Amino acid sequence: MRKVILVALINLAWSGALLGQSVDYNKIILPSSVKDASVEERLVQIAWANMPQNSIIQRQTTIAHNNLRKAQWSWLDHIFITGNLNEFTISGNPDGTSNNFYPRYNFGISFTLGAFAMHSLNVKNAREDLKIREESTNEQKLFVRAEVLKRYSTYKSNQELLRVQSKLLLAAESNFKLQEKKFQTGEITVEIFNGSEERYNNQLLRKVQAENNFQHSKLDLEQMLGLKLEEIL
């Protein structure tokens, strides 16, 4: 029983620790001022700076921020100030007598209560829209980072697979040429020669496929970077 209670307490404490953790989205994409970043982090930086979709989302956030400020000041649009002056107050009576017209001037301010109620609602909506745009930016940061790292990992794997396959092809080619000479001198049978030729052709096909996969992964990564890898690495 004690063991069950202990495990439950540990799980509860662990869950509380996880809930207490929050993501610092400002660290998802390292600032460009960081110069000693790893290759992976530099690629993430470049993709974030160059992808048009990222710029669109950031501009939408700026617009939402401006709309919030506009909504906060929109209450001034619903206040109306009026005023007038009695013309004789300004120019005096034509016969020189004193002015007996009252009031000599008046001013007024008018507004509707409904307008102020709508103002509060508009501000709340604008604030929520800004939060949505900010969360969209955070979501895009997570996507860009994960996608760049995945594509770079695929690129590196395919690069290594191509290197290994190229070595296997060289070995198969060397063996095929050796067996070809032996076949010409009658040292081996046609079955042995055909076997070495088949192994060589298989390795050649695998090398072509490996090179194709490598080039595709390179293009996929460059699509997010907006630059050729040769310009970066």
Side-chain angles (χ1 to χ4, degrees), residues 151 154-155 158 212-221:
R151 294 190 187 194
T154 301
Y155 164 80
N158 286 333
N212 182 65
N213 292 339
F214 171 70
Q215 290 299 329
H216 280 193
S217 62
K218 181 174 181 288
L219 292 173
D220 286 342
L221 181 57

Side-chain angles (χ1 to χ4, degrees), residues 66-78 119 123:
N66 293 338
N67 286 339
L68 174 60
R69 294 184 62 186
K70 180 181 177 181
Q72 289 171 333
W73 286 99
S74 64
W75 63 273
L76 292 174
D77 295 335
H78 305 290
H119 166 74
V123 170

